[in-house]
Structure formats: C-alpha cells, structure tokens
C-alpha cells in the first residue's frame, strides 16, 4: 500500500530540520499569493504521488519561503514566538512517537511529564497542590473550556438549591478582553458583558462590583454593555468573570485581586486569560502584577507565546479539577476502561477527546534549561521593552501611546495616516528587516512591538524605528 521511503529521505528531513535550527538569525521570509504559490509549487497532490524528495524540495524551496518566521528577532507583530532549540528538537520526537495523550492508560509517561510542567505554572501563581488541567491547542480553546466548566458548576449549584435556570447565561469581562471570548460566547450561546475599563484600560474590582449591581432587577446598567439579550426576571444569569493578565493590544494586567474580591460575594467563577501575559509571573520584576491569580478558579497561559515552546500549546489549569471533569469527561461504553485505575486523563479537562501531547516540548525545555533560565529570558524581554520605550521618548517623530506594563510597546508615528502605516509594514517585510503590523486603538491607526523573543535586542528596535524617520 505504502511503498518504502526513498533511500536517504529520513536523513534529508533531519538535515533540513538541523539546518533550520542552526540559522542565526533565521530568515524573515514573507508571504505570497495563491497564484504565485500555485505557479511555483506546481501540483503536489496527485494519484501516484510526486515522491518524498520532490515534496521535501517543494516545501524547502517554495512553501517554507512563503511563511513569515515567527521566531525572527525582528518579528514584533501580533504575539510571535521564540521556541528554544531543546523544545524544537523534542517536538520532532513527539511527532515521531505516536503517543495518544488523552488518557493516562495510553500515555501515562507523557501525561506525567506534562503535569510536571503544569505544576510549575501553578506554582508561579500560587495554585494549591491539588490543582491541575491539560495542555490544549491555544488560548481560544483554553478560554472556552474554562467557561464551559464555569457554567456547568453554576448549573450544579442552582440545581442543588432548587433554583431554575436563568433566561440567559452571561459572563463579565473587560473592554480590552481577547476576541476569543466573543467567540466562546457565540459557541456557548451565552451573553458576554463587556465592562468599561478604567483610564488605563484595566478592568477593576470596583467596576466589576458596579456592573454586577447594575445587572440586577433593572437589567444592564451604564457600567456594563451586554453583547446580546438582557436578563429577565431580575436574574442576570452571570456565571463567571474573566480577568485579563496581559492584554494582546497593550499588555495590560487587570486588577485581579479586586476582581476576585468583587466576584466572591456573588459565588462566581473567576477565570484568568493569561495567554500572553501570565508568563511574566516567571519574572521577579513583574510577579506582583499577578496578585490574586492564586485565588481564582482557573487560568490559561500559552507557552508557545512567551514561554519559548513551539506551536501549539496552551496550559489550562483549574483550582478544583473535579469541577472541570464534571463538565468535560465524555461518557461511552468503550471509554469506561479509561476510568479504571487512571489517576489523570487530560481529555477530561478540556474541549475534545483526541489530543497530541503538545505540552512535552515545553516540559523538555524546562527540564533541559531549568526554570531560572526561563525567568531570566522573560526578564530580558521586559528589559528590551523598557529600552524601546526609552528610545521612543527620545525620538522627535514617534511617541508612546501608553507606558508599557509588560513587553508590548504601542507607539504612533506623528503625522502618519492609516495608509502610511500599512505601506511601511509592507516595505519593512519586503526588505527582510522586520515584521511589524498596524493596530487600531480608539479609532486611530498606530503600531506596536510585541517583544517575546529573548534574541530581540535594543539595537533591533533602533533599526526598525530608524526606518520610520523618512516616512516610508
């Protein structure tokens, strides 16, 4: 059925991976149109195949060159990535090992290692010893899984008290919350309530308390705007509050301690979306910003963002895993065997049953380098962000939009229109110098540097800023 591989193909694949890992810096590369790729690559999926060497050549010479390298030190767009070489190496091992990571029965050793990595994340924020969870694909699935668990817990509490379900379920989050929360609300058919942030873009405990009060018998008040239908019968149906630990746009950390204090009297689940920013809890200089996370019910953090792991890995952790298992564990006759003498089945704590052991490259890197190296790498990114802010203050043609709190630096080029920013982005990428994209804040187009690569230096920032001086 499947013929033997062409002699030398295995070595060629390993050599290509080794070559890519040895590049310093890696090429930024770029993008391409569908027409360009079709012409360059030709037809690759055919009835009889084109052969391994030919397919590898097409990938190396055409397809990979039409992908922007997320780990380039001057890729500062969106939230890029900077996997360690150890984590990349072990990702190859994971792919070759065919480990099913949904159950302890089938992947006990791998799940044990993943849990070691989750334990370190839990210790960073002060979660109890019994806390646990799983690695999922990314922050979107992590947030959705946590919110499903939160609603299930609220339903159970209502049932235990003999209370009916509300007309609509809803959860609160800040105006700067990640777009994945809107998507989670759509999938769950619940209403997101976006609470107005303070002048710094931070969701505060005071604002949450006021919004919860406004969501009483009179329905939504001025401090909260509901994404869909309002609650009826004096029952808001709020089942959770989501705090952001490092917003994607600005790197803002919400008032997590205040949010917890505001939510507890209402018996609400508090979830922390720390997909990008919670990694900064590893840095002594910023750990204080995350006070209160240890008293929440769940959190996420993506190692593929600022904890130097390959795509895709989001750590999802629950204070009380039993509450999450009640929501997520799938039931079927053929699955009953998984519950016999199985201390931990990761699929019981997330959306989805089948799973890759995507936390293993992160674990291997932690085990290889040690956690102090991680703390130092995060601190290095923070120092580069501070240096970038200092440099922007010195230059006459740019200014900070707000002071950076973590490693996202947002700036405006004085006198530029939206089209100027987009034209500059295209020129910067085309030149191979860097990748920096515009963003929109309060209707104004500006730009931002997301610094999550320890190899990014202040000199890299200076080189990019210099290209803004002549209005390219």
């Amino acid at each position: 059925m499947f013929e033997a591989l062409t002699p030398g193909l295995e070595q060629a694949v390993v050599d290509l991976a080794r070559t890519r890992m040895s590049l310093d810096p890696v090429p930024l590369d770029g993008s391409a149109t569908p027409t360009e790729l079709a012409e360059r690559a030709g037809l690759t999926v055919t009835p009889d195949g084109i052969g391994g060497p030919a397919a590898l050549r097409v990938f190396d010479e055409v397809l990979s060159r039409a992908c922007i390298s997320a780990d380039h030190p001057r890729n500062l767009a969106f939230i890029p990535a900077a996997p360690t070489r150890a984590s990349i190496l072990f990702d190859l091992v994971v792919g070759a090992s065919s480990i099913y990571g949904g159950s302890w029965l089938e992947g006990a050793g791998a799940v044990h290692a993943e849990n070691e990595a989750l334990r370190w994340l839990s210790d960073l924020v002060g979660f109890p010893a019994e806390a646990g969870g799983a690695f999922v694909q990314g922050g979107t699935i992590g947030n959705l899984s946590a919110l499903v668990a939160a609603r299930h817990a609220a339903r159970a509490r209502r049932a235990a008290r003999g209370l009916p379900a509300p007309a609509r379920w809803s959860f609160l989050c800040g105006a700067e919350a990640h777009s994945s929360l809107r998507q989670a609300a759509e999938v769950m058919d619940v209403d997101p309530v976006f609470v107005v942030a303070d002048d710094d873009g931070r969701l505060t405990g005071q604002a949450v308390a006021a919004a919860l009060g406004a969501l009483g018998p009179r329905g939504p008040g001025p401090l909260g705007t509901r994404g869909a239908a309002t609650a009826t019968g004096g029952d808001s149906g709020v089942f959770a509050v989501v705090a952001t630990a490092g917003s994607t746009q600005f790197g803002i950390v919400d008032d997590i301690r205040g949010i917890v204090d505001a939510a507890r009297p209402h018996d609400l689940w508090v979830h922390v979306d720390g997909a990008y920013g919670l990694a900064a809890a590893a840095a002594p200089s910023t750990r204080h910003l995350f006070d209160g996370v240890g008293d929440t019910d769940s959190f996420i953090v993506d190692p593929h963002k600022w904890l130097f792991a390959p795509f895709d890995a989001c750590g999802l952790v629950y204070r009380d895993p039993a509450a999450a298992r009640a929501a997520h564990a799938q039931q079927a006759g053929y699955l009953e065997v998984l519950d016999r003498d199985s201390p931990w089945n990761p699929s019981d704590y997330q959306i989805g049953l089948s799973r890759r052991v995507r936390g293993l490259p992160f674990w291997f890197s932690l085990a290889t380098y040690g956690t102090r190296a991680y703390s130092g790498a995060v601190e290095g990114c923070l120092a580069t962000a501070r240096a970038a802010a200092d440099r922007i203050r010195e230059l006459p043609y740019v200014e900070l939009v707000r002071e950076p709190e973590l490693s996202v630096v947002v700036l405006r080029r004085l006198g530029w229109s939206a089209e100027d920013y987009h034209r500059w982005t295209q020129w910067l990428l085309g030149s191979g110098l860097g990748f920096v994209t515009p963003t929109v804040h309060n209707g104004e187009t500006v730009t931002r540097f997301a610094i999550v690569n320890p190899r990014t230096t202040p000199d890299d920032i200076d080189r990019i800023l210099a290209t803004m001086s002549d209005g390219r």
Side-chain angles (χ1 to χ4, degrees):
M1 182 179 295
F2 295 111
E3 300 296 332
L5 291 175
T6 303
L9 182 59
E10 292 180 15
Q11 187 61 52
V13 170
V14 172
D15 288 345
L16 178 59
R18 181 183 292 116
T19 297
R20 175 59 170 76
M21 289 176 56
S22 68
L23 299 175
D24 187 18
V26 299
L28 184 60
D29 290 326
S31 192
T33 67
T35 299
E36 290 169 338
L37 287 174
E39 292 175 350
R40 296 171 190 169
L43 187 62
T44 58
V45 178
T46 67
D48 297 317
I50 63 173
L56 186 64
R57 184 169 55 254
V58 169
F59 175 78
D60 181 24
E61 297 178 3
V62 178
L63 304 180
S64 70
R65 316 287 172 102
C67 300
I68 299 170
S69 297
D71 54 344
H72 190 281
R74 289 186 298 280
N75 183 339
L76 307 177
F78 309 110
I79 300 291
T84 65
R85 292 183 177 180
S87 68
I88 295 169
L89 275 174
F90 212 72
D91 206 27
L92 296 175
V93 174
V94 170
S97 298
S98 297
I99 298 171
Y100 172 72
S103 75
W104 185 270
L105 174 65
E106 297 161 280
V111 174
H112 172 82
E114 286 187 316
N115 287 348
E116 290 268 294
L118 290 172
R119 183 66 259 163
W120 179 64
L121 296 176
S122 299
D123 288 343
L124 284 179
V125 302
F127 258 32
E130 60 271 19
F135 285 98
V136 299
Q137 296 96 310
T140 296
I141 298 298
N143 284 334
L144 176 60
S145 297
L147 287 170
V148 167
R151 183 177 60 179
H152 188 278
R155 282 173 172 165
R157 286 195 301 270
R158 282 178 175 267
R161 297 168 185 169
L163 298 174
R168 293 285 297 176
W169 289 104
S170 60
F171 65 84
L172 271 61
C173 59
E176 292 287 335
H178 193 267
S179 57
S180 64
L181 293 174
R182 290 182 183 271
Q183 189 174 30
E186 182 70 21
V187 170
M188 296 173 68
D189 191 26
V190 301
D191 299 334
V193 178
F194 297 98
V195 180
V196 177
D198 67 10
D199 292 340
D200 292 325
R202 180 178 289 102
L203 179 62
T204 66
Q206 183 180 9
V208 168
L212 288 171
L215 287 169
R218 296 182 303 278
L223 294 181
T225 56
R226 187 180 291 276
T230 63
T232 59
D235 186 351
S236 68
V238 177
F239 64 90
V241 181
V242 181
T244 299
S247 63
T248 303
Q249 180 85 309
F250 282 103
I252 297 166
V253 180
D254 286 343
D255 170 27
I256 299 171
R257 169 60 63 193
I259 291 169
V260 170
D261 292 343
R264 285 297 177 244
H266 298 269
D267 204 15
L268 297 177
W269 184 293
V270 180
H271 171 64
V272 177
D273 177 0
Y276 147 65
L278 196 55
S285 68
T286 49
R287 190 167 297 148
H288 65 281
L289 298 174
F290 306 98
D291 176 46
V293 178
D295 294 322
T296 64
D297 297 284
S298 58
F299 71 83
I300 63 165
V301 59
D302 290 358
H304 66 235
K305 287 187 168 71
W306 199 7
L307 286 174
F308 321 119
F311 296 110
D312 52 3
C314 167
L316 164 63
V317 184
Y318 303 94
R319 164 177 288 277
D320 177 12
R325 188 179 187 280
H328 290 297
Q330 296 190 28
Q331 306 296 323
Y334 78 99
L335 295 175
E336 288 185 3
V337 65
L338 299 182
D339 294 326
R340 295 175 60 88
D341 304 320
S342 292
W344 197 268
N345 296 322
S347 62
D348 289 346
Y349 305 97
Q350 59 169 59
I351 298 290
L353 186 62
S354 299
R355 69 178 295 272
R356 183 177 186 267
V357 282
R358 54 179 45 85
L360 279 190
F362 177 50
W363 161 80
F364 185 75
S365 186
L366 280 172
T368 297
Y369 300 116
T371 59
R372 275 196 290 270
Y374 270 71
S375 295
V378 174
E379 285 284 16
C381 293
L382 291 165
T384 299
R386 289 191 290 269
D390 289 341
R391 183 60 174 153
I392 291 165
R393 293 188 197 94
E394 295 171 356
L395 296 173
Y397 52 88
V398 288
E399 67 181 13
L400 291 169
V401 176
R402 78 182 300 277
E403 291 293 324
E405 188 165 48
L406 296 178
S407 67
V408 174
V409 182
V410 184
L411 64 147
R412 64 172 55 89
R413 195 329 184 150
L414 300 176
W416 272 12
S417 67
E419 185 56 36
D420 290 326
Y421 283 103
H422 287 280
R423 186 165 47 247
W424 172 74
T425 291
Q426 292 172 357
W427 176 87
L428 194 67
L429 179 61
S431 72
L433 179 61
F435 185 43
V436 182
T437 51
T439 188
V440 177
H441 173 63
N442 290 338
E444 178 192 9
T445 299
V446 291
T447 195
R448 57 189 284 283
F449 301 154
I451 301 167
V452 297
N453 190 332
R455 290 187 174 87
T456 302
T457 66
D459 181 65
D460 289 318
I461 302 298
D462 285 346
R463 291 178 66 184
I464 291 173
L465 287 172
T467 67
M468 303 179 85
S469 65
D470 59 3
R472 288 184 189 272

